[in-house]
Amino acid sequence: MVNASPHRVAILVYDGVTLLDVAGPAEVFKEANRFGADYRIVLLSPSGADVTSNLGVRMAVDGAVSSQPAPDTLLVPGSDRYPRTPVGGDLADAARIPAAVAGRVASICTGAFVLAAAGLLDGKRATTHWRVTRELAVRCPTCHVEPDAIYVRDGTTYTSAGVTAGIDLALALVEEDHGPDLARDVARALVVYMQRAGGQSQFSAPLQGPPPRSPALRTITDLVTANPGGDHSLAELAKHLNVSTRHLTRLFHDELSTTPARYVENIRFDLARALLDQGHTATRAATQAGFPSYDSMRRVFATKLSISPAAYQRRFGTARRTNPN
């Protein structure tokens, strides 16, 4: 049912704001109006002055946060500046003031850092871009960060992952307001998924971090990386170092927060993804990455990405389309 009065969507903008964080969700709400919704979109800045986006595009605003009526929805987009720099007090206040009276508050990508600086994520579940989920957890230690989520709802607070995840979140808000049929019409009009399969792990870079500090453990990780298809059972790895399986397991736990078996699986998984990106068949990728079989690789992909190797390759193997002629 369409509301009797317009639903005010206030988008907080500021110098350096990511343009797509603003435009993507705004386009969803604008498109929803074509199908019977009544969203009124306003751009607000902390001081009421116009701002310049990350692309250098000048954005005219409708006023200052303090001069506007309470929004039904407050959207806080992100910026390349966060988390590289702390969020200024003026920007944090500009989010905190309308959030106190808004019906719901949502962040796009690193806009979560603005919400965190405003104290709006304390004790709540949240997400942000996969590259900076750890930093968000550091900035907001009472927040439970979910690194694989496309978007997270905790009460009336919403957070989303990378820039295009703002479109996913906006569609979810439209569905919440007007039901799945209208939201589906919007998704079809914009040629986007109503709900994409899998979490944001499918977009992330390889899982492996810096090499271990321990020389013994570095020997093992180098061995696995150099020959992922070898016999890397716990017993064989421990024998290679002439240590007990219990001691090797403790080394992995203390320094890498994982098990030897999980580490080997992650190495194989990362290599398989790279091979699929390069255009190798799924069967060949499984063999070269060291998986015992294609089925074992498929199970790992299903667990980590919620999609099959074939589906992953269709999405990320190439941006080119086959010429039908």
Side-chain angles (χ1 to χ4, degrees), residues 11 18-32 41 75 77 108 163-171 174 186 190 192:
I11 305 179
T18 299
L19 186 59
L20 187 55
D21 281 9
V22 179
E27 191 67 30
V28 170
F29 291 117
K30 174 181 173 293
E31 193 69 22
I41 304 167
L75 289 185
I108 313 301
V163 288
T164 58
I167 295 174
D168 297 80
L169 175 56
L171 281 169
V174 168
V186 173
L190 297 178
V192 296

Side-chain angles (χ1 to χ4, degrees), residues 5 30 68-69 97 118 157 207 209 217 232 237 274 285 312 320 322:
S5 58
K30 174 181 173 293
Q68 297 293 312
I97 292 169
T157 302
L207 302 173
L217 199 54
H232 300 314
L237 292 177
Y312 172 87
R320 294 171 297 181
T322 302

Side-chain angles (χ1 to χ4, degrees), residues 87-102:
V87 176
D90 290 347
L91 181 54
D93 289 342
R96 186 184 301 110
I97 292 169
V101 292

Side-chain angles (χ1 to χ4, degrees), residues 150-277:
I150 297 295
Y151 62 84
V152 170
R153 174 185 179 181
D154 191 321
T156 57
T157 302
Y158 302 72
T159 51
S160 61
V163 288
T164 58
I167 295 174
D168 297 80
L169 175 56
L171 281 169
L173 296 178
V174 168
E175 181 175 0
E176 183 177 293
D177 296 337
H178 297 285
D181 290 341
L182 190 147
R184 189 175 298 110
D185 287 338
V186 173
R188 285 172 174 163
L190 297 178
V191 198
V192 296
Y193 290 111
M194 267 281 280
Q195 184 178 43
R196 71 178 92 182
Q200 60 172 321
S201 289
Q202 61 187 288
F203 303 94
S204 65
L207 302 173
Q208 308 314 314
R213 295 184 303 274
S214 162
L217 199 54
R218 194 177 306 122
T219 298
I220 292 299
T221 57
D222 288 347
L223 175 69
V224 175
T225 304
N227 181 24
D231 181 358
H232 300 314
S233 65
L234 178 59
E236 284 298 317
L237 292 177
K239 185 188 300 182
H240 189 83
L241 284 184
N242 197 26
V243 298
S244 68
T245 56
R246 185 175 182 179
H247 179 69
L248 182 60
T249 300
R250 188 183 306 115
L251 281 176
F252 268 87
H253 178 270
D254 291 346
E255 191 162 343
L256 299 178
S257 300
T258 190
T259 65
R262 183 61 53 83
Y263 184 87
V264 172
E265 180 181 273
N266 286 343
I267 287 287
R268 291 171 174 167
F269 170 71
D270 285 344
L271 178 55
R273 283 210 298 180
L275 291 167
L276 290 172
D277 289 344

